[in-house]
Short mmCIF file of all heavy atoms in Angstrom, two decimals:
data_model
loop_
_atom_site.label_atom_id
_atom_site.label_comp_id
_atom_site.label_asym_id
_atom_site.label_seq_id
_atom_site.Cartn_x
_atom_site.Cartn_y
_atom_site.Cartn_z
N ASN A 32 23.02 18.99 6.93
CA ASN A 32 22.46 20.03 6.04
C ASN A 32 23.02 19.90 4.63
O ASN A 32 24.21 19.58 4.48
CB ASN A 32 22.70 21.42 6.61
CG ASN A 32 22.08 21.63 7.98
OD1 ASN A 32 20.88 21.54 8.08
ND2 ASN A 32 22.88 21.92 8.98
N VAL A 33 22.19 20.21 3.67
CA VAL A 33 22.67 20.28 2.26
C VAL A 33 21.94 21.35 1.56
O VAL A 33 20.69 21.57 1.75
CB VAL A 33 22.51 18.91 1.60
CG1 VAL A 33 21.02 18.54 1.47
CG2 VAL A 33 23.18 18.90 0.22
N THR A 34 22.70 22.11 0.74
CA THR A 34 22.10 23.14 -0.14
C THR A 34 22.36 22.74 -1.59
O THR A 34 23.50 22.62 -2.01
CB THR A 34 22.68 24.48 0.14
OG1 THR A 34 22.50 24.88 1.53
CG2 THR A 34 22.05 25.51 -0.82
N ILE A 35 21.28 22.45 -2.32
CA ILE A 35 21.44 22.09 -3.72
C ILE A 35 21.51 23.37 -4.55
O ILE A 35 20.65 24.21 -4.48
CB ILE A 35 20.22 21.24 -4.17
CG1 ILE A 35 20.14 19.95 -3.33
CG2 ILE A 35 20.31 20.91 -5.66
CD1 ILE A 35 18.93 19.12 -3.61
N PRO A 36 22.60 23.55 -5.30
CA PRO A 36 22.79 24.73 -6.09
C PRO A 36 21.66 24.98 -7.07
O PRO A 36 21.05 24.03 -7.62
CB PRO A 36 24.10 24.52 -6.79
CG PRO A 36 24.85 23.51 -5.97
CD PRO A 36 23.78 22.60 -5.41
N GLU A 37 21.36 26.20 -7.37
CA GLU A 37 20.26 26.58 -8.25
C GLU A 37 20.37 26.07 -9.67
O GLU A 37 19.42 25.80 -10.33
CB GLU A 37 20.15 28.11 -8.28
CG GLU A 37 19.57 28.76 -7.06
CD GLU A 37 18.08 28.37 -6.83
OE1 GLU A 37 17.37 28.08 -7.79
OE2 GLU A 37 17.69 28.33 -5.66
N LYS A 38 21.67 25.79 -10.11
CA LYS A 38 21.83 25.33 -11.46
C LYS A 38 21.68 23.88 -11.66
O LYS A 38 21.67 23.31 -12.77
CB LYS A 38 23.24 25.76 -11.96
CG LYS A 38 23.37 27.27 -12.08
CD LYS A 38 24.78 27.63 -12.66
CE LYS A 38 24.87 29.14 -12.79
NZ LYS A 38 26.21 29.53 -13.36
N VAL A 39 21.50 23.10 -10.58
CA VAL A 39 21.38 21.64 -10.66
C VAL A 39 20.08 21.26 -11.38
O VAL A 39 19.00 21.74 -11.00
CB VAL A 39 21.43 20.97 -9.27
CG1 VAL A 39 21.05 19.52 -9.33
CG2 VAL A 39 22.86 21.11 -8.70
N LYS A 40 20.17 20.38 -12.38
CA LYS A 40 18.99 19.92 -13.11
C LYS A 40 18.65 18.49 -12.79
O LYS A 40 17.45 18.09 -12.99
CB LYS A 40 19.28 20.07 -14.59
CG LYS A 40 19.35 21.49 -15.07
CD LYS A 40 19.47 21.59 -16.56
CE LYS A 40 19.46 23.05 -17.06
NZ LYS A 40 19.50 23.16 -18.54
N THR A 41 19.57 17.68 -12.32
CA THR A 41 19.35 16.25 -12.05
C THR A 41 19.84 15.88 -10.68
O THR A 41 20.99 16.20 -10.34
CB THR A 41 20.03 15.35 -13.10
OG1 THR A 41 19.48 15.69 -14.39
CG2 THR A 41 19.70 13.86 -12.80
N ILE A 42 19.01 15.23 -9.91
CA ILE A 42 19.43 14.58 -8.65
C ILE A 42 19.45 13.12 -8.96
O ILE A 42 18.41 12.51 -9.23
CB ILE A 42 18.45 14.93 -7.48
CG1 ILE A 42 18.45 16.42 -7.24
CG2 ILE A 42 18.84 14.20 -6.19
CD1 ILE A 42 17.44 16.85 -6.22
N GLY A 43 20.65 12.51 -8.91
CA GLY A 43 20.82 11.16 -9.41
C GLY A 43 20.20 10.08 -8.53
O GLY A 43 19.85 10.28 -7.39
#
Side-chain angles (χ1 to χ4, degrees):
N32 297 299
V33 64
T34 300
I35 300 175
E37 286 293 332
K38 293 183 179 180
V39 169
K40 293 186 176 182
T41 301
I42 299 174

